[in-house]
Amino acid sequence: RRGNLITKARLLRRIFNAPCNDISIICAPFSVGGPNLEAKDGPDALLKAGLKEDLIGIGFDVSVINPPKALLAQARKAIRSQGSGIKNITLIIKINEWLSSIVAEEIKKGRTPLTIGGDHSLAIGTISGTKDALNNFGVLWIDRHFDAHSPKNTPSWRAHGMPVAVAIADKKFDPHPDFQRLLRVGGRDGVTPSVQKENFVQIGIGEKSKIDPGAKWYSMEDIDTYGINKVTNEAIDYLTKRVKHIYIAWDIDALNV
């Protein structure tokens, strides 16, 4: 296992022509944006499995950042809260404001943020923070779902199904006040997108709802037909010709084949 990790690390350093030695693991144990309470256990599970030690073992300088205790306490109390509009919207914004700030801060320090959630509404903050620190970036989104709902078409009113829409939307996309609040996370102007949709690529789509955000995407059928290596290489080649940096999001449900 460790030999395989070393090979991957060397490959990454060669591709990006940079030391890539500093990684900040940002723990985001929050489930308030989705239906599964267990999602919050992700950071603890991966750290207990030796993620930090593995990264240190192949030469990375690794720090671990935890959220404020007050934010964790609010999340525990809000798990059962309901209401009109996007569920738990105020707390989701607080969490993502923190994430946006810390991600931007670590990038500006020259470190690579590795955020572990948590439900996928957390990508609202991580993408916003990346935007704050890096203008010229695209997104490689590995997920079984488009995650491109908004209040105008959501079946659940949960923010975990909305981060892609938030990232590529402009002010006119959905006038719902809760959605407009999400567009302003991290000091965004709420008018222009964080990511241009032509710089957004999705891999592993298998959902039936097909709320297509209009970005470039590959289905599970494409992976079955062409193979994962061809699909990922093509996606990365497409992005690297358009942008300088690539933000990678990976939802574990992409493994549900």
Side-chain angles (χ1 to χ4, degrees), residues 95-113:
I95 291 168
N96 279 288
E97 289 285 4
W98 170 74
L99 269 176
S100 179
S101 174
I102 203 70
V103 165
E105 181 180 329
E106 294 307 300
I107 293 174
K108 291 174 182 178
K109 289 179 182 176
R111 302 181 68 86
T112 299

Side-chain angles (χ1 to χ4, degrees), residues 20 36 50 79 134 145 163 174 178 181 246-247:
C20 300
N36 301 315
I79 290 297
L134 304 169
H145 304 95
D174 191 320
D178 286 354
R181 292 175 69 188
I246 300 175
Y247 166 106

